Amino acid sequence: RESEKQSSAETSATDDGFSEHLPTDAVEAGIKSGIFYQGKIAVNKFATQEAFVAVSASANTSFPEIFIPNQLLRNRAVHGDIVAVEILPAGQWAAPR
């Protein structure tokens, strides 16, 4: 398990503190270039702040899941959504509690 995503649009936040969503074409280009990883998000039912993204097998990566440590980084995604994530620098990684 590795850590998490943060949108490249993090400099532009909504009134509720979440990052703006990227345009679809930017997300698709990021997935194609390997900047973003696509997968299905699963929220931890015992610690709802935490979630995991099961990375698509076609992503050609060494990790099967990406840990999302909080709701702000989840950026409004709910259990079962298909999401695109970007890996944070290693110094910002977190582990499940």
Side-chain angles (χ1 to χ4, degrees):
R1 294 179 185 160
E2 307 237 357
S3 194
E4 185 3 58
K5 158 227 168 165
Q6 191 144 20
S7 158
S8 296
E10 69 185 86
T11 55
S12 176
T14 61
D15 290 340
D16 55 11
F18 290 107
S19 297
E20 292 286 340
H21 290 128
L22 295 174
T24 302
D25 58 338
V27 173
E28 290 172 353
I31 292 168
K32 186 175 181 180
S33 69
I35 294 171
F36 301 135
Y37 296 93
Q38 184 174 358
K40 189 173 187 177
I41 194 164
V43 177
N44 183 339
K45 67 181 177 181
F46 300 108
T48 57
Q49 294 289 323
E50 300 177 349
F52 293 89
V53 175
V55 178
S56 302
S58 63
N60 192 24
T61 181
S62 60
F63 48 90
E65 294 183 317
I66 299 170
F67 176 59
I68 313 293
N70 61 58
Q71 288 180 326
L72 190 60
L73 291 175
R74 204 164 72 215
N75 200 13
R76 298 180 294 270
V78 296
H79 186 83
D81 283 353
I82 302 299
V83 298
V85 296
E86 180 178 5
I87 305 299
L88 291 174
Q92 295 180 34
W93 291 0
R97 296 181 198 164

